[in-house]
Amino acid sequence: MSRPLRKRGELADDLKLAGRRLSTATIMFHQAVADRLGLNLTDHKCVDLLLLNGPLTAGELASMTALTTGAITAALDRLERAGFVKRQDDPEDRRRVVVRAVPKRVSAMSRLFGSFSARLDELAARYQPEELSVVVDFMTRSCAVLHESTVELRRQSASSAKRKRQKVKD
């Protein structure tokens, strides 16, 4: 006997709840990775962005993370001191500096993902290619929604802080 299809609204609620649980588990996992590397979570994910995208400028990292350029500069200072990144002159535009991950240092990070990656492979094997395509599409679109929401929250925080400073001046 097959289960009756659930209503779209119920499934949407279940999806949001599952997303919250996944988000929490993801953050806890990446915090454990960051702890093992002696990094904070933001710095760890900045290295990951470099691994995913290749060399980036500080401005590009700031845009991708929705952090201020000052916050990114501080993160890059810490990562450079820890040996995870190097700043180099951009060979195409000497006025710019690009940030690159240091391969030898980040290989330690990659090793921490071995058992997790194997478990994901086992989980993915339970699904048909068409189903995995839907999951990948949903996750990709979710990343875009999360980035938009992050930018919105940062803008609201900046606006709120600006209003508070203005009230103090008045």
Side-chain angles (χ1 to χ4, degrees):
M1 177 180 235
S2 64
R3 284 179 35 189
L5 287 178
R6 300 189 56 217
K7 291 183 180 175
R8 184 174 192 83
E10 292 172 345
L11 288 171
D13 290 344
D14 289 349
L15 185 61
K16 289 175 189 170
L17 184 58
R20 286 178 60 194
R21 289 184 174 128
L22 177 61
S23 173
T24 299
T26 300
I27 289 169
M28 295 299 112
F29 175 78
H30 285 286
Q31 182 64 61
V33 170
D35 290 346
R36 288 278 300 271
L37 297 170
L39 300 174
N40 69 43
L41 188 56
T42 298
D43 294 359
H44 160 50
K45 296 317 292 177
C46 284
V47 173
D48 197 29
L49 285 170
L50 291 169
L51 293 174
L52 289 168
N53 297 286
L56 297 167
T57 66
E60 290 168 331
L61 268 174
S63 177
M64 289 177 166
T65 59
L67 294 171
T68 65
T69 53
I72 286 296
T73 298
L76 293 177
D77 288 346
R78 291 187 300 270
L79 287 168
E80 196 166 36
R81 279 193 305 273
F84 283 92
V85 302
K86 281 190 178 184
R87 291 176 171 113
Q88 298 175 325
D89 290 335
D90 185 338
E92 295 175 19
D93 183 350
R94 293 181 48 157
R95 296 169 294 176
R96 290 179 3 139
V97 172
V98 294
V99 182
R100 299 176 190 279
V102 175
K104 185 176 180 180
R105 193 70 167 106
V106 297
S107 66
M109 190 165 95
S110 299
R111 286 191 295 272
L112 297 175
F113 287 85
S115 65
F116 173 64
S117 182
R119 288 181 179 118
L120 275 183
D121 289 343
E122 288 175 19
L123 180 60
R126 298 178 58 194
Y127 296 89
Q128 295 300 313
E130 303 81 25
E131 294 171 312
L132 287 175
S133 264
V134 171
V135 172
V136 169
D137 178 66
F138 182 83
M139 291 177 76
T140 301
R141 291 172 189 253
S142 293
C143 286
V145 168
L146 276 167
H147 182 72
E148 291 167 8
S149 297
T150 302
V151 168
E152 180 181 327
L153 283 173
R154 297 268 185 219
R155 282 190 189 132
Q156 290 170 353
S157 292
S159 295
S160 176
K162 189 175 181 180
R163 282 193 302 274
K164 286 179 184 175
R165 285 192 304 270
Q166 188 61 38
K167 283 182 181 180
V168 170
K169 286 181 182 179
D170 294 343

